[in-house]
Amino acid sequence: TLAAAIARLGGAGDDDVVWDPFVGSGLELVERARLGPYASLLGTDTDDAALAAAKKNLDSARVPDFTLARADARRHAPRGVTLVLTNPPMGRRVQSGKLDELLVAFVDNVGRVLVRKGRFVWITPRAATTNRALERAGLRKTHDLVVDMRGFAANLQHWTR
């Protein structure tokens, strides 16, 4: 699945402080937990139904020691984040014209919260726009793969601080 690809591209370290800012159903966190030990897992979302689905999936997968919280990915500032894994909104539920604004504000925040040598793995439907924002935030792209998302292309990317 896409969640497994995102988690595996991110890699695993037993000291990882992992944040999924658009946690949705929680599958990226489930897949990261399957890769081995971590310091902490945090999933945030602005949708209470998504947080409930993530809790159900993380509990069903018997993932220990995770935290879920209602928070805006553009402003939330967890401390010590070594790995950001996420599959953000692709535009279907975002008001027309607002997707680029949301994604750029989000990646600006990633630039603020990610620690030195931290990793950021995600899939973006707006690579040209978000690449520029990530470079301005001081991140360096190490992998970029175009993925067919059933009717449109997106980029599966790995960035480092």
Side-chain angles (χ1 to χ4, degrees):
T1 69
L2 187 56
I6 289 170
R8 280 158 183 75
L9 188 56
D14 59 5
D15 62 343
D16 275 340
V17 175
V18 182
W19 178 35
D20 183 347
F22 300 100
V23 75
S25 63
L27 296 182
E28 284 76 16
L29 294 181
V30 168
E31 292 296 337
R32 170 53 192 89
R34 290 180 173 167
L35 294 177
Y38 48 86
S40 66
L41 295 177
L42 169 63
T44 60
D45 210 297
T46 58
D47 183 343
D48 290 330
L51 292 166
K55 181 171 179 5
K56 181 178 178 183
N57 287 330
L58 288 155
D59 286 343
S60 293
R62 297 189 174 130
V63 173
D65 303 322
F66 64 87
T67 302
L68 298 172
R70 192 179 207 312
D72 188 323
R74 297 169 293 182
R75 289 181 284 283
H76 189 63
R79 294 188 180 269
V81 175
T82 62
L83 177 61
V84 176
L85 299 174
T86 199
N87 181 357
M90 297 287 158
R92 294 183 187 114
R93 294 180 300 200
V94 178
Q95 281 185 326
S96 179
K98 300 289 185 180
L99 181 60
D100 286 354
E101 183 180 310
L102 168 68
L103 295 177
V104 167
F106 161 61
V107 298
D108 286 345
N109 193 36
V110 168
R112 289 187 292 272
V113 303
L114 198 62
V115 301
R116 186 173 174 269
K117 296 188 180 181
R119 294 125 40 225
F120 173 45
V121 180
W122 76 326
I123 188 152
T124 176
R126 301 281 206 269
T129 301
T130 57
N131 286 355
R132 287 190 300 272
L134 284 158
E135 289 165 356
R136 280 192 310 270
L139 277 74
R140 182 178 56 86
K141 184 170 42 175
T142 60
H143 292 85
D144 192 343
L145 176 68
V146 177
V147 177
D148 180 359
M149 298 292 291
R150 295 186 185 167
F152 68 96
N155 294 65
L156 175 61
Q157 299 180 328
H158 181 284
W159 294 77
T160 58
R161 154 105 32 237

